[in-house]
Amino acid sequence: MTKMRTVDAAIAILEKEGATEAFGLPGAAINPFYSAMRAHGGIRHTLARHVEGASHMADGYSRAADGNIGICVGTSGPAGTDMITGLYAAWADSVPILCITGQAPVAKLHKEDFQAVDIETIAKPVTKMAMTILEPAQVPGAFQKAFQLMRSGRPGPVLLDLPIDVQMAQIEFDIDTYEPLPVEKPKASRKQTEKALDMLTAAERPLIVAGGGIINAGASAQLVELAELLNIPVIPTLMGWGTIPDNHRLMAGMAGLQTSHRYGNENMLASDFVIGIGNRWANRHTGGLDTYTKGRKFVHIDIEPTQIGRVFAPDLGITSDAGAALEILLEVAKERKAAGMLPDYSGWSGECTERKGKLQRKTHFENVPIKPQRVYEEMNKAFGEDTTYVSTIGLSQIAGAQLLHVFGPRRWINAGQAGPLGWTAPAALGVVRGKPDETVVALSGDYDFQFMIEELAVGAQFQLPYIHVVVNNSYLGLIRQSQRGFEMDYHVSLAFENVNSPEMNGYGVDHVKVAEGLGCKAVRVENPEDLSVAFDKARALMAEYKVPVIVEVILERVTNISMGTELDNVNEFEGVAETAADAPTAILALQG
């Protein structure tokens, strides 16, 4: 056996577990870990400007590709508490990230030492495991367990807290004898699968709700194959968007109160059977449960047993990894097809396609200031099918999900359940690390963009190029819209006369100057006819300078984006599309 510091053993384990991308900030209590990273040389580290930003970068990196696990690192006390929002965002969306914090010496943990905090207790509600490692010899086992937990069952984050004296202690360790623990994932049985298919084929208008668990399982191709084999429509959730490409004939639209398509809601309401795979029945997807469940039966397949029945009781619940469930569903469905036992659903799937060609929202507005719908229309024209979009929350994200197009898994990366403001920019940097040389386009409102705006400097320093579209109405737009029910517009305006930038015309913060001051490039657009040129210029600047490029679009101050209280009660504040020219980038040209 070889004698080494615990931190040197930890770094060797990270390499063997395949987690070699770290984001963080060094400091006194974590410096031994940083010295081990420096000595080893196999862990790439990106220096963040804020520890919360580092946690979102790790999150974005994990979401960028199958099997990725991002690492975020910080010193003790406030660095650990700064990571909590990042841990929550990852935990809520079933994303594995590993947070490593430095800590005061073991003997001083109860003495209110400088920057000593019980981060284990604080982090436990938003992690699969949080542990302050008090014994040096426990370090290898704690890391081994962390990786097993992050990958087993419903994926999620882990926090390991390392007192500085534990980091520096010597232990006996041999990386050649270290082995990752087996990953545990439940699998649907044949009997369960046959029952689910019996229920599906007894229905007249079945569909699949495809959740983010399918993307986590790397099983999008199997989902499409199953849908094609059965010839039934698919409604992806926001986290499952991309499991089936938007231009696939069986992609029936998203359903929900906000991030949904008009035709998606109508297709959902027309169904009589739903099989949900790897989804949570999130409230923004379902709306009122009486409306959502009325007149249809449900099968729910999820990797987490306690998720089944959490929101409503399905007619059949199956605990299974989404990929494992799809494999056996395909096996049984192929047998039944060969035996001529599958119904013909071409009429039903054709009805859903027909709705897709009729129920669309208008995007082609020529107003100045610019209407947001036009921005997404121009983004559809400017960015190809290989684009990965990154967004988090706000009217920008809601409208983007209604109007943009996604053509594959992990090409819509969104902090879906937590939705923390400020997540977008650092997460996009993590995505760029995970998808080098691919087109990454972030989408923010001005308020989301102003949170953690300092992380743009990270993109400039480390040459992490992407395009960040900032739709600026100088408002907390989503909150302003929700305040309509209270008949108020209270503390949601970000507008002011900027004495340094009178050209902002009362819109306040000059994002172009801020971005340029942080080492990035930026373009401002005030006329819809200039959007196409601006996106072309942004691509050219990104290619030339290898830094983030901001495209700031000055919007009309007040826009209400389509949303409602029930699937059958979504308020279309703007006119809907009446001709193909009203929605020129719709997946299916508007039909008369």
Side-chain angles (χ1 to χ4, degrees):
M1 296 286 280
T2 305
K3 199 146 194 165
M4 63 179 71
R5 296 179 305 169
T6 62
V7 286
D8 295 309
I11 294 297
I13 291 170
L14 294 180
E15 182 184 44
K16 193 158 189 177
E17 292 278 5
T20 58
E21 199 76 48
F23 309 84
L25 283 74
I30 196 64
N31 270 339
F33 185 85
Y34 272 82
S35 74
M37 277 200 291
R38 179 177 181 273
H40 182 274
I43 308 296
R44 181 165 61 178
H45 179 270
T46 302
L47 176 64
R49 295 299 193 270
H50 191 294
V51 191
E52 182 186 336
S55 65
H56 297 327
M57 290 175 201
D59 187 2
Y61 174 78
S62 290
R63 296 179 195 238
D66 293 350
N68 279 7
I69 294 182
I71 306 163
C72 54
V73 189
T75 187
S76 57
T81 56
D82 283 344
M83 289 181 186
I84 295 300
T85 301
L87 287 167
Y88 166 45
W91 173 81
D93 288 343
S94 307
V95 177
I97 64 172
L98 177 61
C99 289
I100 299 170
T101 54
Q103 182 59 276
V106 172
K108 294 189 177 182
L109 291 179
H110 66 295
K111 296 179 182 290
E112 297 186 354
D113 205 42
F114 177 64
Q115 292 191 336
V117 68
D118 184 1
I119 194 63
E120 174 184 319
T121 299
I122 294 169
K124 274 184 175 177
V126 290
T127 56
K128 295 190 76 174
M129 179 175 89
M131 178 182 183
T132 298
I133 304 173
L134 302 178
E135 295 293 337
Q138 283 188 297
V139 168
F143 275 80
Q144 190 180 36
K145 184 67 175 176
F147 279 100
Q148 182 189 43
L149 285 173
M150 285 187 286
R151 292 169 173 147
S152 293
R154 180 180 178 181
V158 166
L159 181 140
L160 295 178
D161 186 42
L162 302 172
I164 189 168
D165 52 339
V166 170
Q167 292 179 60
M168 298 177 70
Q170 298 277 325
I171 60 170
E172 297 284 349
F173 182 72
D174 182 359
I175 190 61
D176 290 334
T177 61
Y178 174 92
E179 293 294 340
L181 293 174
V183 174
E184 300 169 358
K185 293 184 178 179
K187 296 182 179 181
S189 70
R190 186 175 181 90
K191 186 174 182 179
Q192 290 172 321
T193 305
E194 289 176 343
K195 175 67 173 176
L197 281 174
D198 287 344
M199 295 172 66
L200 186 154
T201 54
E204 295 180 1
R205 300 177 303 282
L207 56 77
I208 299 169
V209 167
I214 295 172
I215 293 176
N216 284 346
S220 297
Q222 292 92 319
L223 177 276
V224 174
E225 185 181 358
L226 180 67
E228 291 175 345
L229 182 67
L230 298 172
N231 198 21
I232 62 173
V234 177
I235 289 193
T237 67
L238 184 66
M239 298 305 298
W241 195 13
T243 50
I244 185 168
D246 274 9
N247 56 0
H248 194 286
R249 66 180 181 85
L250 293 173
M251 201 295 199
M254 286 190 287
L257 305 184
Q258 296 178 342
T259 55
S260 61
H261 302 103
R262 292 180 65 213
Y263 52 89
N265 280 349
E266 291 299 322
N267 286 332
M268 183 74 206
L269 291 168
S271 70
D272 64 357
F273 173 87
V274 176
I275 180 168
I277 305 174
N279 65 307
R280 294 185 298 109
W281 312 116
N283 64 303
R284 289 197 298 167
H285 165 77
T286 65
L289 294 176
D290 287 344
T291 301
Y292 188 83
T293 59
K294 184 178 179 180
R296 56 194 61 87
K297 292 183 179 294
F298 288 86
V299 171
H300 188 198
I301 300 174
D302 196 84
I303 198 168
E304 171 52 48
T306 63
Q307 198 68 38
I308 295 170
R310 183 187 294 267
V311 179
F312 63 86
D315 297 277
L316 175 64
I318 300 173
T319 300
S320 178
D321 169 72
L326 285 164
E327 284 181 14
I328 192 165
L329 280 166
L330 277 166
E331 179 183 321
V332 176
K334 286 176 180 177
E335 292 173 4
R336 294 191 178 188
K337 183 178 178 66
M341 296 171 61
L342 292 182
D344 179 5
Y345 289 116
S346 56
W348 160 238
S349 61
E351 288 176 28
C352 292
T353 301
E354 186 177 354
R355 292 187 189 96
K356 192 173 185 177
K358 289 184 175 180
L359 299 173
Q360 298 175 6
R361 295 186 171 106
K362 183 176 179 178
T363 60
H364 196 75
F365 295 92
E366 297 180 350
N367 305 52
V368 178
I370 300 169
K371 280 191 171 290
Q373 292 86 349
R374 180 65 181 272
V375 181
Y376 308 113
E377 176 185 307
E378 296 296 334
M379 289 173 70
N380 285 333
K381 293 177 183 177
F383 302 115
E385 294 187 9
D386 61 344
T387 301
T388 296
Y389 290 107
V390 183
S391 191
T392 180
I393 192 63
L395 289 185
S396 54
Q397 175 252 9
I398 293 168
Q402 291 177 4
L403 302 172
L404 291 174
H405 305 315
V406 174
F407 296 98
R410 301 194 186 276
R411 297 204 179 280
W412 172 261
I413 294 179
N414 189 136
Q417 184 182 349
L421 285 165
W423 183 89
T424 306
L429 295 170
V431 172
V432 174
R433 277 293 196 215
K435 291 190 170 190
D437 304 318
E438 294 193 31
T439 301
V440 176
V441 178
L443 172 63
S444 291
D446 45 302
Y447 206 45
D448 172 49
F449 187 61
Q450 288 173 25
F451 274 60
M452 314 215 78
I453 197 170
E454 70 275 8
E455 301 303 335
L456 290 176
V458 177
Q461 180 179 354
F462 291 91
Q463 294 194 311
L464 301 172
Y466 74 98
I467 293 173
H468 202 136
V469 179
V470 179
V471 285
N472 180 10
N473 63 353
S474 198
Y475 246 123
L476 279 68
L478 179 57
I479 307 306
R480 179 207 54 75
Q481 186 167 334
S482 71
Q483 285 187 352
R484 294 171 74 251
F486 297 91
E487 298 183 351
M488 67 179 183
D489 185 326
Y490 185 64
H491 278 282
V492 289
S493 175
L494 301 173
F496 62 92
E497 293 294 336
N498 189 329
V499 297
N500 297 307
S501 299
E503 67 272 20
M504 291 304 300
N505 296 314
Y507 273 66
V509 173
D510 188 333
H511 298 112
V512 170
K513 285 182 178 176
V514 176
E516 289 176 343
L518 290 166
C520 300
K521 289 291 185 179
V523 180
R524 180 176 293 125
V525 186
E526 299 183 67
N527 190 301
E529 301 304 320
D530 297 331
L531 282 164
S532 176
V533 173
F535 291 136
D536 286 343
K537 184 176 181 181
R539 271 195 296 265
L541 288 169
M542 186 176 65
E544 181 178 359
Y545 293 101
K546 307 297 183 187
V547 298
V549 180
I550 287 72
V551 179
E552 180 189 43
V553 184
I554 303 299
L555 298 185
E556 61 184 8
R557 291 295 313 285
V558 174
T559 300
N560 294 311
I561 300 299
S562 305
M563 63 182 72
T565 58
E566 301 280 350
L567 296 192
D568 58 0
N569 185 34
V570 172
N571 193 340
E572 300 293 339
F573 293 94
E574 299 286 354
V576 297
E578 296 179 356
T579 68
D582 288 337
T585 60
I587 285 291
L588 195 60
L590 191 71
Q591 300 165 9

